[in-house]
Amino acid sequence: MRTPPRFKPLARRGWVLLASWPLGGCGGVLDPQGPVGAAEKLILLNSLGIMLAIVVPTILATLGVAWWFRASNRRAVYRPDWEYSGRIELVVWAIPAMTVLLLGGIGWAGSHLLDPAKALASSAAPLEVDVVALDWKWLFIYPEQGVASVNRLVAPVGRPISLRLTSATVMDSFFVPQLGTQIYAMPGMTTRLNLQADRLGRFPGLSAMFSGDGFSRMSFVFDALPDAQFQAWAAAAKAQGPALDAAGYQALARPSQGVAPTTYSAVAPGLFDALARTQTPPPPAGAAVAMPTAMEP
């Protein structure tokens, strides 16, 4: 049955959508906007190429054997007493062994070159940002600027970002797919991550680990701005908004979902270090939140 002319564009778009559906969940990873994400994409493509070098010939050989030894092919020789071939054994074992060595080498080299704690090569000094996972939102503290933000990470484009991460509740996972490197934020511990955005834009960030009722809405945005706009944003945050003192943290730390991005004009000294040393379990929803004892007033 032929497709009516007026439906051909729809049918064509339908085939495109169907063909791209398997890659729908990987769009962020396959569209890197920074050096770390670009390096991780290269590792993925190299690994894919190595595996396809095995998978494609194997599929073709399987189809070829099935076609050659079909019942109607009189030229195919049936050898019921054949049981061993050294050449076949060499091919069967050597090629997978070589594949494992190549994939392992790429993984080993990449894991060292892309060490999350390793500073990125740049002539610009990195922007220091402290990240705290809460229920169910992200707190970003800027020690140099003396401000903080919730569910919005702002940084200058082309400038490395040095992140310190911890969790004030349960174990969580920080991930900006287009910038690369998913990393855990754990209570009582500090992990480090270095990222950089090479292009202006807004990139989605998320929690990549289940952490309770509000997990699905525990997302944030990463805004890569020109340096002048970043400085203006920091100055505007410094000039207005509440302070993240003991009372402010008490209110923020209570479990909540879908929190709109907001800023704090000041941050209690030592807040991140105190949270990183705290190993108390998270309180139930609606309960009072105990302040870290090591935090300065």
Side-chain angles (χ1 to χ4, degrees):
M1 184 178 66
R2 293 184 178 180
T3 303
R6 65 179 182 276
F7 291 130
K8 286 185 177 180
L10 294 176
R12 193 178 300 114
R13 285 196 293 267
W15 279 111
V16 172
L17 291 174
L18 183 62
S20 62
W21 172 78
L23 297 178
C26 303
V29 176
L30 297 180
D31 183 27
Q33 302 297 320
V36 177
E40 292 178 347
K41 177 184 177 181
L42 181 61
I43 292 176
L44 287 174
L45 294 180
N46 287 340
S47 301
L48 177 63
I50 293 172
M51 289 185 287
L52 287 179
I54 305 301
V55 172
V56 172
T58 300
I59 293 175
L60 294 178
T62 302
L63 296 176
V65 168
W67 178 83
W68 179 257
F69 288 100
R70 66 192 186 278
S72 60
N73 185 12
R74 303 300 180 183
R75 293 179 294 171
V77 179
Y78 176 59
R79 297 176 180 176
D81 298 327
W82 182 88
E83 62 181 10
Y84 179 79
S85 171
R87 294 179 180 178
I88 293 179
E89 289 291 329
L90 178 62
V91 173
V92 167
W93 289 104
I95 295 179
M98 189 186 313
T99 304
V100 172
L101 289 175
L102 288 174
L103 290 175
I106 289 177
W108 184 87
S111 63
H112 285 76
L113 293 174
L114 297 175
D115 182 0
K118 183 179 179 180
L120 300 178
S122 176
S123 58
L127 173 68
E128 304 288 339
V129 180
D130 295 333
V131 183
V132 182
L134 299 169
D135 287 338
W136 286 274
K137 48 197 168 284
W138 294 95
L139 170 64
F140 302 100
I141 302 173
Y142 299 78
E144 299 175 7
Q145 289 73 25
V147 298
S149 62
V150 175
N151 284 345
R152 187 188 182 198
L153 175 57
V154 184
V157 66
R159 181 179 176 183
I161 312 164
S162 179
L163 302 167
R164 292 193 305 168
L165 302 99
T166 192
S167 175
T169 57
V170 298
M171 184 175 178
D172 220 305
S173 183
F174 175 92
F175 191 28
V176 184
Q178 289 178 277
L179 299 186
T181 307
Q182 171 188 338
I183 195 167
Y184 290 106
M186 296 170 282
M189 299 181 63
T190 299
T191 51
R192 293 185 177 272
L193 174 63
N194 289 273
L195 296 175
Q196 179 177 314
D198 288 338
R199 298 181 184 177
L200 299 173
R202 167 166 288 190
F203 313 118
L206 52 91
S207 168
M209 182 173 182
F210 181 74
S211 58
D213 293 341
F215 156 74
S216 61
R217 303 184 68 185
M218 191 175 174
S219 59
F220 64 94
V221 293
F222 180 101
D223 283 331
L225 306 176
D227 185 70
Q229 291 187 20
F230 169 76
Q231 298 298 338
W233 171 84
K238 190 74 174 176
Q240 60 185 2
L244 190 60
D245 51 14
Y249 178 78
Q250 284 272 357
L252 179 64
R254 294 189 179 94
S256 56
Q257 303 180 31
V259 178
T262 186
T263 59
Y264 291 90
S265 59
V267 182
L271 175 60
F272 178 85
D273 293 329
L275 292 173
R277 290 191 294 266
T278 302
Q279 300 185 17
T280 55
V289 180
M291 288 296 296
T293 56
M295 190 180 79
E296 300 176 13

